[in-house]
């Protein structure tokens, strides 16, 4: 693992995802969450609607060396990839943005999970594992709890730094830091990943993040 410090910030905007829950835009809560690697916690913030300023609202324990936070599209559940304890913390998100650990509080994973993503349908979670060089996939239950579905068998690159699901929910990509490439997959039945042909696409040196945008006509 590289030694430089890094924090992951994710802001959830229910306005874009769950309009039926609130009668007016002014009533819609906005929250931000930060994974704090060196004190094994996740900080929660309220986002002031008029200015975008963050107001600290509390902190909750995570596993060891939390590296990334992801929320499901409904905004009801949050997941944290813990690189040191080799697991994923799972939380329920309260109406005020408070994170409450589920039971169980964590689910086991492969070696050194560093990045985590939820698909747009809110049914699947994908985690990039650095040391085992693969992706672990979970299914999200009706209560938000994760159930292991599968793990990609073959190495997908070296030093998986980031995983992303495209907006259509049909494709997954990983940025592979040490091998200088991106691995690309299609999402099949039950969220199972199948590597495309070609499976690898070259990038610049040391790619550490991948994201997508746009829709398909």
């Amino acid at each position: 693992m590289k030694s430089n410090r890094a924090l992951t910030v994710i802001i959830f905007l229910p306005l874009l995802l769950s309009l039926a829950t609130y009668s007016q835009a002014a009533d819609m809560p906005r929250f931000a969450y930060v994974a704090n690697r060196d004190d094994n916690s996740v900080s929660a913030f309220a986002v002031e609607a008029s200015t975008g300023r963050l107001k600290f609202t509390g902190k909750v324990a995570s596993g060891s060396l939390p590296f990334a936070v992801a929320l499901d599209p409904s905004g009801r559940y949050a997941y944290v990839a813990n690189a040191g304890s080799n697991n994923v913390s799972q939380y329920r998100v309260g109406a005020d943005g408070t994170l409450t650990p589920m039971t169980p509080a964590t689910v086991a994973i492969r070696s050194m999970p560093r990045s985590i993503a939820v698909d747009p349908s809110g049914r699947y979670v994908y985690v990039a594992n650095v040391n085992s060089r693969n992706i672990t996939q979970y299914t999200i239950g009706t209560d938000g709890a994760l159930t292991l579905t599968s793990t990609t068998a073959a190495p997908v690159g070296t030093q998986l730094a980031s995983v992303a699901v495209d907006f259509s929910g049909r494709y997954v990509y990983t940025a592979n830091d040490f091998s200088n490439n991106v691995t690309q997959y299609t999402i099949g039945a039950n969220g199972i990943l199948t590597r495309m042909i070609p499976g690898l696409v070259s990038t610049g040196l040391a790619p550490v993040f991948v994201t997508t945008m746009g829709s398909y006509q």
Side-chain angles (χ1 to χ4, degrees):
M1 183 190 303
K2 294 186 176 180
S3 61
N4 57 300
R5 298 187 56 171
L7 297 180
T8 299
V9 181
I10 183 165
I11 296 178
F12 169 57
L13 304 178
L15 172 62
L16 303 177
L17 302 170
S18 185
L19 291 175
T21 306
Y22 303 95
S23 59
Q24 300 181 40
D27 297 329
M28 297 180 184
R30 299 169 182 237
F31 311 116
Y33 300 96
V34 179
N36 305 304
R37 189 192 65 186
D38 286 355
D39 70 357
N40 302 324
S41 69
V42 178
S43 295
F45 300 85
V47 183
E48 188 176 83
S50 60
T51 67
R53 294 190 182 99
L54 301 183
K55 179 182 179 181
F56 178 73
T57 58
K59 191 164 65 171
V60 64
S62 66
S64 175
L65 299 181
F67 250 84
V69 186
L71 287 125
D72 84 305
S74 74
R76 296 182 296 167
Y77 311 118
Y79 307 97
V80 178
N82 303 306
S85 50
N86 294 324
N87 55 25
V88 172
S89 297
Q90 46 186 7
Y91 307 89
R92 291 183 178 84
V93 180
D96 61 353
T98 300
L99 299 182
T100 301
M102 297 183 194
T103 301
T106 62
V107 292
I109 202 167
R110 293 298 182 95
S111 183
M112 198 178 289
R114 182 168 170 174
S115 180
I116 186 167
V118 182
D119 88 302
S121 74
R123 293 181 294 170
Y124 311 118
V125 168
Y126 299 95
V127 184
N129 305 301
V130 174
N131 285 354
S132 52
R133 298 170 58 193
N134 52 21
I135 301 171
T136 302
Q137 181 222 326
Y138 297 91
T139 299
I140 300 176
T142 55
D143 61 351
L146 301 181
T147 299
L148 177 65
T149 304
S150 68
T151 300
T152 56
V156 298
T158 305
Q159 189 81 4
L160 278 68
S162 175
V163 62
V165 184
D166 87 301
F167 283 81
S168 74
R170 294 187 290 172
Y171 311 114
V172 166
Y173 306 93
T174 65
N176 308 315
D177 188 357
F178 287 1
S179 51
N180 301 324
N181 51 29
V182 167
T183 309
Q184 47 189 6
Y185 295 89
T186 57
I187 300 176
N190 300 317
I192 302 299
L193 300 182
T194 300
R195 197 185 306 195
M196 297 182 194
I197 299 175
L200 297 173
V201 178
S202 296
T203 65
L205 296 179
V208 296
F209 191 79
V210 58
T211 189
T212 68
M213 66 173 292
S215 60
Y216 306 98
Q217 302 299 323

